[in-house]
Amino acid sequence: MTSNEVLLAPADLVFPTDFLWGAATAAYQVEGAAVEDGRTPSIWDTYSHTPGRVLGGDTGDVACDHYHRYRDDVALMSGLGLGSYRFSVSWSRVQPGGRGPVNQAGMDFYRRLVDELGDQDILPWLTLYHWDLPQELEDAGGWPERDTAYRFAEFAALVHDALGDRVRHWTTLNEPWCSAFLGYGSGEHAPGRREPAASVRAAHHLMLGHGLAVQAIRAGGGTGEGPAQVGVTLNLYAVSPVTDSEADADAARRVDGLANRIFLDPVLRGRYPADVVEDLRGVTDFDHVHDGDLTIASSTLDMLGVNYYTRYVVSGPDPDAAPGWRRSTSAWPGSEHVRFTNRGLPVTAMNWEIDAPGLVEVLRRVNREYTSLPIYVTENGAAFDDLPDEAGRVDDRGRVDFFAQHLAACHQAITEGVPLRGYFAWSLLDNFEWAFGYTKRFGMVYVDYPTQRRTRKASADWYAQVSRRNGLVAQ
Ligand code: FCB
């Protein structure tokens, strides 16, 4: 098999004519240039520079040096025939400290990037917040503080002022679950706090900030192509109980509640799910929710972004654990007893089971139970331990297979009537994978960090073909 043949579909899978084929990155994971042109530290700078937090002591100081190499990277995207590039804006680059006036030198980077994309006919898809809160705002309390939501709306307005004439597609937040529950619950992500009640407050203020940002962007108007298109990206999971016991069913309900519904319901229905509030009773009384907040959080959207990586398979408490046993803090406040397991399916280098049918389930569910809005898969991809061969080629068949299975899942969802309008591979480039540093490679393009040389992996060539043909061809 050469990279030009691939295609693991049993039949041709043709996508709708205007289907958007993209790839995604995020500011802290690729940009580097951590102290250039007035950028100040974000929580991820602080966290990665704290010994013991990130594997190998890796930081995003240099990352993929995208800040300086963006022109080459856009050329790479153009060579892949990408229709869209999803990137995020580093808040502390464009508004150092998270307050006050715009830092023009920092904003100019995004102007140049967007113009370059425009020149190559690649649609810019801008995410405002991909986890890199300015450190000063964390010092003032971070997302558990209500004021952070208002600072975020101000930042949204300022970025929209600068780029709103040339960027039409806006994602407010990327995966607020991670910001709230890994950042403030388990502490596996920046800022590394382990405070269950604060993590629930953070989730709420993220959604409040999201709603305020939607309003700010709308108020700023659109581009020559039409009004701004605004959405949010949630990381959604299929959730299954290990057995059909009552305890396992309860574990699945809880995890679905804390991973999916605690965001879906406020954003798309304007309320919290009653069972989740009940599950959290011992953690918080929700007195941080003010009148009107949920109306703001459920401001009308134009699209929904879904990131999908795997399914959660869960079971109830360990029957051998001492009565009342709970882990003291975790990413699952109030449900610390739930156990996560794998079912023996093939896994990626993250030890995440490869479960493409879960993506169909998620898309179907969102469309049937929550919204008829257009949906975009804003991230989907896999880490593998890619190594170049002697000729320098990276033949990442595992990744090709992963993409093919998940694109078949997308096609299935479309066939069932889900208004899925696009797909963004995570990621364009190998990059800084948060707490795993540079040890996990998610890119379609290999990055040799010491030289910053980029090499298209087989999956990049394959994806280029898929996007050109607008679908998968039967094997
Ligand atoms: C998602 C993140 C993204 C990347 C992938 C692997 O949760 O949004 O930045 O780390 O996982």
Side-chain angles (χ1 to χ4, degrees), residues 25-26 29 86 130-131 174-175 178 182 189 233 235 237 307 309 350 352 379-383 426-427 431-434 442:
T25 66
Q29 295 180 277
R86 174 176 177 250
H130 201 124
W131 306 353
N174 178 72
E175 300 191 356
C178 296
L182 298 179
H189 277 187
T233 279
N235 48 321
Y237 294 83
N307 290 358
Y309 287 95
M350 301 296 282
W352 296 343
E379 283 180 31
N380 175 238
W426 182 273
S427 177
N431 58 49
F432 176 82
E433 179 49 32
W434 309 113
F442 274 90

Side-chain angles (χ1 to χ4, degrees), residues 263-468:
F263 296 102
L264 284 169
D265 283 49
V267 166
L268 295 167
R269 292 180 177 162
R271 58 174 193 257
Y272 276 104
D275 64 314
V276 174
V277 173
E278 186 57 33
D279 292 343
L280 287 167
R281 193 179 282 279
V283 177
T284 174
D285 58 9
F286 280 85
D287 70 347
H288 53 273
V289 179
H290 295 192
D291 282 355
D293 283 3
L294 291 167
T295 307
I296 296 169
S298 58
S299 296
T300 306
L301 300 180
D302 304 292
M303 64 220 179
L304 181 71
V306 173
N307 290 358
Y308 178 80
Y309 287 95
T310 192
R311 177 192 305 270
Y312 285 142
V313 182
V314 297
S315 55
D318 177 355
D320 298 327
W325 179 88
R326 288 262 194 291
R327 252 186 292 158
S328 57
T329 53
S330 85
W332 308 96
S335 294
E336 291 88 353
H337 61 277
V338 172
R339 291 175 296 157
F340 291 75
T341 189
N342 278 352
R343 288 171 304 171
L345 300 181
V347 294
T348 68
M350 301 296 282
N351 197 30
W352 296 343
E353 284 194 333
I354 300 172
D355 194 329
L359 176 54
V360 189
E361 269 175 54
V362 164
L363 295 172
R364 191 190 285 140
R365 191 252 187 119
V366 167
N367 175 244
R368 292 202 184 145
E369 294 179 25
Y370 284 95
T371 181
S372 55
L373 283 174
I375 299 174
Y376 291 82
V377 170
T378 38
E379 283 180 31
N380 175 238
F384 289 105
D385 295 327
D386 302 315
L387 278 179
D389 62 20
E390 301 89 70
R393 279 185 43 86
V394 181
D395 195 5
D396 57 339
R397 289 163 198 228
R399 185 171 290 103
V400 169
D401 218 12
F402 182 99
F403 282 139
Q405 289 179 35
H406 287 79
L407 286 171
C410 290
H411 192 269
Q412 166 74 24
I414 293 169
T415 309
E416 292 181 19
V418 175
L420 180 67
R421 298 285 154 75
Y423 175 94
F424 291 80
W426 182 273
S427 177
L428 176 71
L429 302 168
D430 290 336
N431 58 49
F432 176 82
E433 179 49 32
W434 309 113
F436 295 91
Y438 297 100
T439 62
K440 304 294 178 198
R441 294 181 176 271
F442 274 90
M444 296 189 289
V445 173
Y446 186 86
V447 177
D448 177 54
Y449 295 108
T451 62
Q452 290 293 345
R453 232 187 43 177
R454 275 87 161 127
T455 308
R456 285 159 64 140
K457 303 179 191 176
S459 59
D461 294 332
W462 179 83
Y463 191 65
Q465 259 196 35
V466 171
S467 77
R468 277 197 197 102

Side-chain angles (χ1 to χ4, degrees), residues 176-227:
W177 183 85
C178 296
S179 302
F181 295 109
L182 298 179
Y184 297 93
S186 70
E188 291 158 85
H189 277 187
R193 286 163 58 181
R194 305 185 75 197
E195 303 166 30
S199 72
V200 182
R201 283 205 306 277
H204 181 72
H205 295 141
L206 281 153
M207 285 184 281
L208 177 63
H210 150 75
L212 293 167
V214 171
Q215 297 178 357
I217 293 166
R218 291 220 192 288
T223 67
E225 306 277 302

